[in-house]
Amino acid sequence: MSSASDSGRKRMGGPSSRGGGKRSRVSGLEEEGREGGEVQATAANVVVAVRIHPKEREENFEEGTEDAFDDDDDDDDDLGHQGDYPCTRTFSGDILVGGQKAGSFSAHLVDRQRAGSLFHEACDAESQELQEFGCLLFSSKGAPRYPALKSDTSVARGGYIYIDTFCLNAEHRVDGATDVGAAAIRALLSLPELAGRWTVASYIADSMAVLSAEEKTAEDERRRAYFRGAPAETVKEKSSRIAGVHARMAKDARQFLRAGFAEVAHKEGGWLYLTARMMRSPPMTHAEALAVPLRLTSKTTSAGRPELTDADDQLLSALTGKGGATTATVLAAVDRFVAQGADLTRAGVLQYCAANGMLELLEPMLTRGAQINGKDGHTGATALMVAAATVSAGRSNHSQQHYTTMVSTLIALGADKNVVDNDGLSAFGHYLKGIRNINDFCATFHFGERMQKVDPMMRQMLTPVGGPTSADKKYADDH
């Protein structure tokens, strides 16, 4: 939800100072803080330590004057440096194994109470990922929003840590090993500088974090080739690449699961959180962490439908490139690809039309065999769900009223409001989610006058016969 210009930037900071020590034993991992802002843990008979960098001042390059460090001179907090808002701290450090540097990390700490109604705004000032995760877990005032947090009274207050990067050298990740990583994560969160300052931590699994230097070079070259106009991937090639990305993200996530984190039901997966109370439990064994199901590696597709084919992909490309083409021209292209084996339902043409306001194509697609309640092969979303999610925000080329008409038209054509997606959300839940997302955006950027409420007409059209599902209720707006 951040703007594409400066609000999505990541601020990597020069971190903190020296702290006192602590020592605790948790399920075979021995953690011991010591003077010098360092915490040690023993994993697989190897001493793992996490050490915060000495506090550094951050230069204000925009000012570029002798007074650029004035704010830092007044900063008496030993943890990293202050972010764009007084309620945020940015810090980083090293992971040591046997006394030798074996990795690094960077993180942000947001004081939710100090942030108050500026919580989402303060998160967005640090990074787009922090803002998105902050919106997922907390309201715009920093109050717990995610169901698992709302039911945990211990997180009603306290700081929020977002671990931005966590990189471990390849020799400590051989065959997916998690010993060193899990020990380092718990040591990081046990640092004396963080004592009493956080109750919730989070991390987004990174597919690049588990690559070797050579593999990263190869991946960078693949991306450069893509932007140079390399031949388009086939569906099989794309599917294989994405599966590889998800597998690497899952490998990165396992060390966090072992340290006590749990996965949030969001997007394709890999969004992880931990509370201070959860960290009191013994860490998992490697085998236990491997056994935890992850969205990233779930093979479930709606109704067991097969993956897209090249003809399906080419059909969607024809719709994407519609531009100023007439409806007749577009339908002629659709018929051509259908003759080559494309399946309108499998390709998700109705979902695409719903998202892009193509009212004029709905009936022609249905007469050509598209199923009105057909589900997306990965998320289980129907065209009605996509349209409902788009109503609150609209699109640049269509008004909200246009998408409201899209919803009513789909229902008139037989769309079932009782159908749910893979997460249990009905079309009404998608509508509620869209309302909350747009209100989060408005709260972040002070567009209070654009805040939206649930439209009674939309509620009537979209609410399932048995009422909102339990998943729908999770997205009730809290602004």
Side-chain angles (χ1 to χ4, degrees):
M1 283 188 295
S2 303
S3 67
S5 56
D6 63 346
S7 55
R9 65 191 180 282
K10 286 190 176 183
R11 300 173 57 84
M12 310 294 286
S16 114
S17 76
R18 311 297 176 185
K22 69 183 276 288
R23 182 185 183 94
S24 64
R25 182 179 294 275
V26 186
S27 184
L29 283 181
E30 183 177 326
E31 302 170 351
E32 50 181 273
R34 70 183 187 188
E35 295 297 329
E38 180 177 306
V39 168
Q40 291 185 344
T42 302
N45 299 318
V46 176
V47 175
V48 179
V50 170
R51 182 172 59 202
I52 286 186
H53 293 152
K55 181 174 180 179
E56 298 174 1
R57 298 183 300 180
E58 184 188 38
E59 182 174 1
N60 187 332
F61 293 102
E62 293 180 1
E63 293 182 16
T65 68
E66 293 181 0
D67 297 328
F69 290 124
D70 279 355
D71 288 343
D72 292 303
D73 291 336
D74 296 333
D75 182 7
D76 58 1
D77 192 322
D78 286 336
L79 181 66
H81 67 259
Q82 179 181 299
D84 282 354
Y85 290 72
C87 59
T88 59
R89 308 295 303 179
T90 296
F91 60 101
S92 61
D94 297 325
I95 301 168
L96 308 175
V97 176
Q100 300 298 312
K101 182 176 177 179
S104 62
F105 67 88
S106 63
H108 303 283
L109 172 66
V110 185
D111 184 330
R112 291 188 283 139
Q113 277 63 53
R114 192 173 184 186
S117 61
L118 299 179
F119 175 74
H120 287 166
E121 183 178 346
C123 289
D124 181 75
E126 301 306 319
S127 79
Q128 181 177 344
E129 295 83 358
L130 173 54
Q131 194 264 359
E132 185 172 353
F133 220 145
C135 287
L136 184 63
L137 298 179
F138 305 102
S139 72
S140 60
K141 295 182 179 180
R145 166 186 279 178
Y146 190 66
L149 298 186
K150 289 178 71 174
S151 62
D152 184 350
T153 57
S154 71
V155 302
R157 301 177 64 83
Y160 167 47
I161 293 176
Y162 173 68
I163 300 175
D164 193 10
T165 61
F166 186 85
C167 304
L168 199 58
N169 293 350
E171 62 264 31
H172 302 297
R173 295 183 278 100
V174 176
D175 296 327
T178 58
D179 287 349
V180 171
I185 293 162
R186 292 182 73 92
L188 189 170
L189 295 172
S190 300
L191 283 163
E193 291 86 351
L194 294 174
R197 298 185 68 172
W198 71 276
T199 54
V200 180
S202 68
Y203 176 74
I204 303 173
D206 183 2
S207 67
M208 298 293 284
V210 299
L211 294 180
S212 65
E214 294 77 14
E215 290 170 329
K216 287 180 180 178
T217 299
E219 177 61 17
D220 288 341
E221 177 54 35
R222 185 198 66 77
R223 294 179 180 181
R224 284 192 291 269
Y226 172 81
F227 287 110
R228 287 197 300 264
E233 296 173 303
T234 65
V235 167
K236 185 175 181 180
E237 289 170 341
K238 182 178 180 181
S239 178
S240 176
R241 176 176 57 79
I242 292 175
V245 168
H246 288 175
R248 295 197 302 271
M249 289 177 68
K251 186 178 292 186
D252 185 42
R254 296 295 175 189
Q255 58 193 339
F256 282 83
L257 294 177
R258 188 171 179 189
F261 282 67
E263 189 179 34
V264 174
H266 187 59
K267 292 187 172 180
E268 294 178 320
W271 295 60
L272 308 164
Y273 80 97
L274 173 79
T275 68
R277 176 175 289 177
M278 291 164 63
M279 191 169 164
R280 297 174 196 163
S281 300
M284 293 183 182
T285 65
H286 181 69
E288 288 171 339
L290 288 176
V292 175
L294 286 170
R295 292 168 72 91
L296 287 165
T297 53
S298 172
K299 302 298 181 182
T300 302
T301 57
S302 299
R305 188 162 61 252
E307 296 289 335
L308 293 179
T309 65
D310 287 336
D312 297 334
D313 190 54
Q314 291 165 351
L315 169 59
L316 286 176
S317 295
L319 290 177
T320 304
K322 179 177 180 292
T326 64
T327 298
T329 301
V330 172
L331 292 177
V334 169
D335 291 338
R336 183 170 68 255
F337 290 119
V338 168
Q340 295 173 10
D343 183 288
L344 297 179
T345 302
R346 185 176 61 217
V349 294
L350 289 184
Q351 285 90 334
Y352 185 86
C353 291
N356 292 280
M358 297 176 174
L359 275 165
E360 73 281 2
L361 291 180
L362 293 181
E363 289 195 61
M365 294 301 176
L366 290 171
T367 60
R368 284 165 169 75
Q371 297 175 20
I372 190 67
N373 293 307
K375 292 186 171 185
D376 174 82
H378 298 286
T379 66
T382 65
L384 181 61
M385 295 173 191
V386 173
T390 313
V391 167
S392 58
R395 290 289 178 93
S396 58
N397 56 333
H398 293 297
S399 67
Q400 285 182 284
Q401 182 56 48
H402 185 87
Y403 284 99
T404 299
T405 302
M406 174 69 76
V407 167
S408 61
T409 300
L410 285 166
I411 291 175
L413 291 171
D416 187 351
K417 64 183 180 181
N418 299 301
V419 176
V420 298
D421 68 8
N422 294 349
D423 288 325
L425 281 175
S426 71
F428 183 57
H430 281 268
Y431 172 67
L432 293 179
K433 185 176 181 180
I435 291 284
R436 197 174 78 177
N437 285 346
I438 194 67
N439 286 347
D440 281 343
F441 179 87
C442 291
T444 299
F445 297 105
H446 302 290
F447 298 144
E449 72 281 0
R450 301 183 189 177
M451 288 277 193
Q452 298 187 24
K453 295 183 179 180
V454 174
D455 185 330
M457 182 178 69
M458 292 297 295
R459 181 187 295 275
Q460 182 178 7
M461 282 198 296
L462 294 173
T463 302
V465 173
T469 68
S470 58
D472 293 342
K473 295 175 183 178
K474 294 176 183 178
Y475 288 99
D477 190 38
D478 51 14
H479 290 87

